[in-house]
C-alpha cells in the first residue's frame, strides 16, 4: 500500500519538478527510479537485518518507508507522458496510452512473476530498473539528435 500511496503522491506532485520541461522531468525521474531501485536492492537487506528481532509492525513501517520514495518516483512518468502528448498536440494518442498502460500492467506482473520464479526477485528488480535506465538514455540520445537536426 505504501508503494501505491507513493505513486499517487508522485502523480499529484510530480508536475512541480521541471514544470516547463516534460522531457527533462522524464529523463531525470527515469534515472532517479533506476538509482533508487538499485540502492534499495543493496541497502534494504542491511537495514532490515538490524531489525530482525523487532515486531511485525516495526518491520512493516520500515518496509513502507523504503517503498514510499520509490513509489513517489514511479508515479511521475505516466502523467508526465500524458502532459507531453498534450504539449505535442497528440491528444488522440492518450486513449491508446491508457490502453497500453493497462495491458502492460497485467503483462508486466505476469512477466515479473515468471522471471522471479526462474531467476529470483533481485534479477527481476534489476531488469525493471534497467528499463527505466533505458528510458533515460533514449530520451537523452533523442535530445542530442534533435539538437543536431536543429542546428543544420
Amino acid at each position: 500500500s505504501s508503494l501505491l500511496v507513493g505513486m499517487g503522491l508522485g502523480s499529484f506532485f510530480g508536475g512541480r519538478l521541471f514544470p516547463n520541461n516534460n522531457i527533462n522531468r522524464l529523463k531525470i525521474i527515469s534515472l532517479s527510479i533506476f538509482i533508487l531501485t538499485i540502492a534499495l536492492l543493496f541497502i534494504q537487506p542491511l537495514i532490515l537485518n538490524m531489525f530482525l528481532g523487532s515486531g511485525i509492525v516495526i518491520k512493516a513501517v520500515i518496509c513502507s518507508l523504503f517503498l514510499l520514495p520509490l513509489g513517489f518516483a514511479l508515479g511521475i512518468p505516466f502523467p508526465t507522458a500524458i502532459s507531453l502528448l498534450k504539449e505535442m498536440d497528440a491528444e488522440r494518442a492518450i486513449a491508446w496510452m491508457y490502453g497500453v498502460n493497462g495491458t502492460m500492467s497485467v503483462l508486466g506482473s505476469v512477466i515479473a512473476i515468471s522471471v522471479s520464479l526462474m531467476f529470483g526477485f533481485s534479477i527481476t528488480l534489476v531488469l525493471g530498473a534497467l528499463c527505466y535506465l533505458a528510458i533515460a538514455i533514449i530520451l537523452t540520445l533523442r535530445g542530442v539528435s534533435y539538437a543536431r537536426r536543429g542546428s543544420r
Side-chain angles (χ1 to χ4, degrees):
S1 65
S2 62
L3 194 60
L4 289 174
V5 169
M7 291 173 78
L9 291 170
S11 178
F12 186 75
F13 291 110
R16 296 180 184 175
L17 302 169
F18 303 101
N20 298 322
N21 195 332
N22 288 318
I23 295 289
N24 272 352
R25 184 180 322 131
L26 276 175
K27 280 193 286 191
I28 290 170
I29 211 63
S30 295
L31 185 60
S32 298
I33 291 168
F34 171 76
I35 292 168
L36 280 169
T37 304
I38 298 302
L40 183 67
L41 185 65
F42 289 105
I43 294 170
Q44 181 209 16
L46 299 173
I47 294 177
L48 287 181
N49 283 339
M50 292 189 293
F51 293 94
L52 282 177
S54 301
I56 190 78
V57 173
I58 299 294
K59 290 178 188 175
V61 168
I62 291 168
C63 287
S64 295
L65 292 175
F66 274 122
L67 292 174
L68 200 60
L70 181 60
F72 184 87
L74 287 168
I76 296 173
F78 187 75
T80 300
I82 296 290
S83 296
L84 188 59
L85 287 173
K86 288 179 184 176
E87 183 179 297
M88 296 168 48
D89 291 326
E91 280 103 358
R92 294 178 66 202
I94 292 174
W96 278 100
M97 196 163 173
Y98 275 104
V100 168
N101 182 58
T103 302
M104 292 312 296
S105 293
V106 173
L107 270 178
S109 61
V110 171
I111 291 169
I113 290 169
S114 300
V115 172
S116 291
L117 287 172
M118 289 193 298
F119 303 106
F121 180 74
S122 295
I123 297 296
T124 306
L125 200 59
V126 169
L127 289 174
L130 287 172
C131 290
Y132 282 97
L133 179 62
I135 292 168
I137 291 170
I138 289 167
L139 288 173
T140 300
L141 293 177
R142 288 205 52 147
V144 169
S145 70
Y146 285 134
R148 285 185 188 150
R149 211 180 308 160
S151 63
R152 289 182 190 168

